[in-house]
Amino acid sequence: MTRTYVITGAASGIGRATAQILRDRGDTVIGVDLQGVEVSGDLSTAAGRANAAAEATGLAGGTVDAVIACAGLSLPKVVTAAVNYFGVTEFLEAMRPALARSTAPRAAVVSSMASLQPVAPPLVEALLADDEAPALAIAAELAKDPQTGNLIYSSSKQALSRWVRREAPRADWAGAGIPSTPSAPASSRRP
């Protein structure tokens, strides 16, 4: 039985590798990235997220078996918070109706071990409030200094992991039969 997957960040890194494994297995993969895949979409903007989700849903014929959210950045810039948090959470919410039509839906979110590193608590809380403008304003302040700019990545990943833990058991996700889980890849390199 083949499945239909939507993978963000499918043009490079973990997303690209995951897409290739699934394609080699015979599954249908709809990649979402800035370019070079089935859906060109900018997950750093609300319009880009909505358009990408709508296009991916259309290409899937309205039913998606799994969304694997791999898109992410690690730059000490505001765009990192936009893509890593809102680019995942809003995209997943937009894909939820297509997932609900599957007989065995799944959502997987790539977080990071960096979520356990020092963070900027005001940014984490602003992200979890799901209000993009204030969150990105905090990220912009952090980005002014290289020391605090580096906290944007870990803060976005901690907020993302907490979002999954908050949302996964709710009626819209687990209650609708859509399991969701974060994963936190770590480097396999040894010192």
Side-chain angles (χ1 to χ4, degrees):
M1 174 176 126
T2 63
R3 292 174 53 83
T4 299
Y5 292 85
V6 173
I7 302 176
T8 66
S12 64
I14 294 170
R16 182 176 178 178
T18 302
Q20 190 59 54
I21 290 167
L22 293 171
R23 284 185 179 114
D24 289 348
R25 203 170 75 175
D27 291 309
T28 299
V29 174
I30 299 167
V32 177
D33 214 314
L34 290 172
Q35 59 187 9
V37 292
E38 292 76 12
V39 175
S40 294
D42 183 356
L43 299 182
S44 72
T45 69
R49 296 169 206 136
N51 292 338
E55 189 174 341
T57 298
L59 288 173
T63 302
V64 172
D65 296 304
V67 174
I68 303 173
C70 295
L73 301 170
S74 60
L75 305 169
K77 297 181 177 185
V78 175
V79 69
T80 296
V83 171
N84 291 3
Y85 184 79
F86 296 104
V88 174
T89 62
E90 288 184 8
F91 187 82
L92 281 173
E93 288 292 346
M95 294 301 300
R96 193 166 26 84
L99 285 165
R101 292 194 256 313
S102 172
T103 58
R106 301 287 184 269
V109 176
V110 175
S111 184
S112 172
M113 296 301 293
S115 65
L116 303 173
Q117 295 173 349
V119 299
L123 178 55
V124 173
E125 294 308 317
L127 292 167
L128 286 167
D130 294 320
D131 193 356
E132 192 165 3
L136 298 186
I138 293 169
E141 285 300 313
L142 292 169
K144 290 178 181 178
D145 179 332
Q147 292 291 346
T148 57
N150 287 324
L151 296 175
I152 296 170
Y153 178 73
S154 58
S155 298
S156 68
K157 290 300 188 171
Q158 185 178 99
L160 182 58
S161 294
R162 288 177 57 189
W163 181 87
V164 173
R165 286 194 313 261
R166 179 182 77 194
E167 298 299 317
R170 293 191 175 178
D172 290 347
W173 290 98
I178 307 170
S180 57
T181 185
S183 67
S187 173
S188 62
R189 288 187 231 157
R190 296 179 187 219

